[in-house]
Amino acid sequence: MLIIAGLGNPGTQYAGNRHNIGFMAVDEIQRRPGFAPWSKKFKALISEGEIAGEKILLMKPQTFMNVSGESVGEAMRFYKLGPENIVAVYDELDLVPGKARIKTGGGHGGHNGIKSLDAHCGKDYRRLRLGIGHPGHKDRVQGHVLGDFAKSDRDWLEPLLAALADNAEMLVKGEDSQLLNKLALATGTKADDEPAKPAKAPKPAGQSHIRQARNFNQPKALPTTGPMAAMLQKMFGKKESDE
């Protein structure tokens, strides 16, 4: 069995929050054929179904975000599963909107829901992070994550959630790179971060052809000694009356 737990806060007042993108993701998967209606168990809303021949338990913890681990941990122990049987789906401030990342284990990055899962389930579970973007300053973070998605966000949010549900089989099979490619195609983002561009090689010390042409037309310095200097002095030198 695989537990796919979307993280968020319960209640209609939070339903459209950026912090609830995990709830939105499992809602979209649950709408696909083969899943039972939502019911209450393990301090969560749950739906059982099957994907790619694997029994799946979708979860939306109703304990509020900061103690999500209580709910997921209870289900994990009930079914005698380990953290390797859990996929957490949640919002990520440090990814641009629509960007997705998957990894196993790692730090919590300041996400309180992940802190709680780490405490109750161990750290070696898979994490599907869905980017919501950063507001630009730490003082605006709370208002950003607890604010609703803007209408303009639908351009990437709806395709992202639909692509995740349509390709949930890849998530279950652990085909993470293929899934990320599907999500990137759906949202118009890049599947992988662009590598740092190498520094440009310095130009050779020689002048460019444009500068050389400019210099060609510049007047040359006149000689001050020798026969040529004497001739020029006779031709263009100042007359005594001019001094």
Side-chain angles (χ1 to χ4, degrees), residues 87 100-104 126-128 167-184 191-192:
V87 178
R101 282 285 180 271
I102 304 177
K103 67 175 181 179
T104 297
R126 289 167 69 211
R127 304 154 192 239
L128 174 55
N167 297 283
E169 182 173 329
M170 293 178 178
L171 182 65
V172 172
K173 291 181 176 180
E175 297 173 348
D176 294 345
S177 60
Q178 294 94 320
L179 175 61
L180 292 179
N181 283 330
K182 293 288 187 181
L183 301 184
D192 297 305

Side-chain angles (χ1 to χ4, degrees), residues 95-196:
L95 291 176
V96 298
K99 192 88 166 180
R101 282 285 180 271
I102 304 177
K103 67 175 181 179
T104 297
H108 54 71
H111 195 290
N112 289 327
I114 297 304
K115 284 183 184 178
S116 182
L117 258 70
D118 287 353
H120 290 271
C121 306
K123 295 184 177 182
D124 294 328
Y125 54 90
R126 289 167 69 211
R127 304 154 192 239
L128 174 55
R129 299 174 291 149
L130 304 178
I132 61 169
H134 198 285
H137 194 281
K138 63 180 181 180
D139 292 341
R140 297 169 56 195
V141 165
Q142 184 173 351
H144 181 70
V145 298
L146 294 180
D148 287 353
F149 282 107
K151 288 183 179 179
S152 59
D153 290 323
R154 294 177 183 173
D155 293 342
W156 61 264
L157 180 60
E158 292 177 359
L160 173 70
L161 299 179
L164 175 58
D166 288 343
N167 297 283
E169 182 173 329
M170 293 178 178
L171 182 65
V172 172
K173 291 181 176 180
E175 297 173 348
D176 294 345
S177 60
Q178 294 94 320
L179 175 61
L180 292 179
N181 283 330
K182 293 288 187 181
L183 301 184
L185 286 171
T187 59
T189 60
K190 291 184 179 296
D192 297 305
D193 288 331
E194 291 184 355

Side-chain angles (χ1 to χ4, degrees), residues 17-31:
N17 286 183
R18 295 179 180 88
H19 217 22
N20 272 39
I21 195 171
F23 275 13
M24 298 174 191
V26 294
D27 275 336
E28 196 68 26
I29 295 173
Q30 189 269 341
R31 292 189 187 103

Side-chain angles (χ1 to χ4, degrees), residues 61-72 112-113 116-117 120:
Q62 301 295 289
T63 53
F64 286 93
M65 178 69 82
N66 293 2
V67 285
S68 299
E70 290 183 6
S71 171
V72 180
N112 289 327
S116 182
L117 258 70
H120 290 271

Side-chain angles (χ1 to χ4, degrees), residues 1-7 22-27 29-30 35 38 44-51 54-61 71-72 75 81 83-90 117 125-128 164-165 167-173 179:
M1 172 182 270
L2 184 69
I3 296 175
I4 302 177
L7 305 189
F23 275 13
M24 298 174 191
V26 294
D27 275 336
I29 295 173
Q30 189 269 341
F35 280 92
W38 291 108
L45 292 177
I46 66 168
S47 175
E48 294 185 357
E50 187 175 295
I51 299 176
E54 181 92 15
K55 188 175 182 181
I56 305 297
L57 180 71
L58 301 177
M59 294 188 70
K60 295 193 295 181
S71 171
V72 180
L81 303 174
E84 67 276 7
N85 302 110
I86 298 172
V87 178
V89 187
Y90 60 98
L117 258 70
Y125 54 90
R126 289 167 69 211
R127 304 154 192 239
L128 174 55
L164 175 58
N167 297 283
E169 182 173 329
M170 293 178 178
L171 182 65
V172 172
K173 291 181 176 180
L179 175 61

